[in-house]
Amino acid sequence: EPEPVFTSVKTFAPATVANLGPCFDFLGCAVDGLGDYVSLKVDPSVHPGEVSISEVIKLSKNPLWNCAGIAAISAMKMLGVRSVGLSLSLEKGLPLGSGLGSSAASAAAAAVAVNEMFGNKLLPDELVIAGLESEAKVSGYHADNIAPAIMGGFVLIRSYEPLDLMRLNFPEKKQLLFVLVTPEFEAPTKKMRAALPAEVGMPHHIWNCSQAGALVAAVLNGDPVGLGKALSSDKIVEPKRAPLIPGMEAVKKVAVEAGAYGCTISGAGPTAVAVVDNEEKGKVIGEKMVEAFWKEGNLKAVSMVKRLDRVGARLV
């Protein structure tokens, strides 16, 4: 059983954009400067081998029903921690149900906090498995948020049984920015998943496979234009989900007309994500997308321009 190497730690895990258009449930990326913080400390008043949640706003304090709690307990079990009790506080920097991997950020920060507390013995893949336990309880067994939240950058999930993750490196010297526009609207993951077709026709399957391949090539080549084009080309998931988010179709159209290389729904929504390679241009596009949400969907929205997070969850 590992001994704690710190009495307390604080970690950060970034927001994530999952699905990226045609890559439903198998590709996601991390977004810089936006995410959740977890503070973790050794607490003699907590039963050995257990976690208590001391502070969290708007969410359950029961560690078995809280993403951070579930992931922390899972990481403790993997490490074989039985004689130390921990207390955890969660600081949400991400709105709930925004399509920016809110539950994954909490889980990633908690799993990494436990790992750092006990000497950093778990590998990234193991931390993803710890985070997947909490994702499974909240929004389904998919790693396209939790994997990039932990590992940073773009991560492709090649398989779940066994878990096989591939990190895709977008070249350091190339610029890649995301325009994130979040309307005041709730799009619960479970409801958005229920809208998906049970079966897919062969032409749409072939089309989406080719777009997903093009998107991966664009990431590896550092090609924001190709990435945007592929991101906008989903014929299976987005057409079913976009009508459930008021104004989304108009927002996508406006983003591309204003110069974005592509636009789609981030995760299950309602956040819209557009791809650019220039910050000033991104800000202008974001304003136009906000206007479209108001004009076409009667929804207030906020926009941000963020870079790719290449690091993932880390010790603060």
Side-chain angles (χ1 to χ4, degrees):
E1 181 182 349
E3 291 286 320
V5 294
F6 299 108
T7 51
S8 67
V9 293
K10 186 174 184 180
T11 53
F12 169 81
T16 46
V17 173
N19 300 342
L20 294 162
C23 307
F24 179 70
D25 272 9
F26 66 84
L27 184 64
C29 66
V31 176
D32 190 38
L34 197 63
D36 288 359
Y37 290 90
V38 160
S39 298
L40 190 72
K41 63 179 183 185
V42 172
D43 190 338
S45 69
V46 178
H47 194 275
E50 289 181 9
V51 174
S52 85
I53 296 177
S54 57
E55 203 180 317
V56 64
I57 296 165
K58 286 187 184 172
L59 291 165
S60 172
K61 275 193 172 182
N62 181 340
L64 302 177
W65 291 101
N66 179 294
C67 290
I70 297 164
I73 291 164
S74 183
M76 283 175 84
K77 281 181 182 165
M78 283 181 177
L79 288 163
V81 175
R82 289 192 226 31
S83 56
V84 178
L86 303 173
S87 72
L88 177 155
S89 85
L90 171 62
E91 193 186 317
K92 290 295 295 175
L94 287 172
L96 307 176
S98 57
L100 291 169
S102 177
S103 60
S106 300
V112 168
V114 170
N115 193 37
E116 291 288 349
M117 176 79 86
F118 292 95
N120 202 10
K121 290 177 168 29
L122 297 175
L123 298 170
D125 286 31
E126 293 173 301
L127 291 169
V128 171
I129 290 168
L132 259 174
E133 283 206 21
S134 79
E135 286 288 82
K137 283 196 182 175
V138 178
S139 57
Y141 197 82
H142 50 91
D144 49 344
N145 289 111
I146 191 70
I150 284 169
M151 297 164 72
F154 287 87
V155 181
L156 187 143
I157 295 90
R158 192 175 172 195
S159 85
Y160 284 96
E161 297 288 337
L163 186 68
D164 186 356
L165 305 171
M166 296 176 74
R167 202 165 185 282
L168 308 176
N169 292 317
F170 191 91
E172 290 274 356
K173 290 174 185 170
K174 298 287 182 85
Q175 272 273 51
L176 178 63
L177 296 159
F178 301 98
V179 184
L180 301 166
V181 181
T182 307
E184 288 182 359
F185 181 78
E186 273 201 35
T189 304
K190 282 181 181 171
K191 182 188 170 187
M192 299 305 273
R193 286 183 99 79
L196 302 181
E199 293 183 351
V200 175
M202 189 59 85
H204 282 176
H205 166 67
I206 293 166
W207 171 264
N208 262 42
C209 285
S210 66
Q211 299 310 311
L215 195 145
V216 169
V219 169
L220 297 174
N221 291 332
D223 172 16
V225 179
L227 199 160
K229 195 175 169 187
L231 179 105
S232 283
S233 302
D234 174 29
K235 283 189 177 179
I236 295 169
V237 176
E238 192 190 297
K240 297 291 182 191
R241 285 179 165 177
L244 303 178
I245 303 166
M248 181 58 80
E249 280 131 324
V251 168
K252 180 175 177 174
K253 191 165 176 273
V254 159
V256 174
E257 283 170 359
Y261 299 134
C263 179
T264 190
I265 302 167
S266 177
T271 297
V273 56
V275 173
V276 290
D277 57 5
N278 176 288
E279 194 162 356
E280 291 310 308
K281 189 166 130 188
K283 284 176 184 171
V284 173
I285 292 165
E287 284 165 19
K288 292 197 183 309
M289 290 166 74
V290 167
E291 277 171 31
F293 262 128
W294 179 246
K295 220 156 89 182
E296 302 295 329
N298 201 23
L299 293 174
K300 286 182 184 170
V302 291
S303 75
M304 299 171 280
V305 181
K306 298 289 180 186
R307 294 173 192 280
L308 182 69
D309 181 307
R310 297 172 184 271
V311 182
R314 58 235 189 218
L315 194 62
V316 177

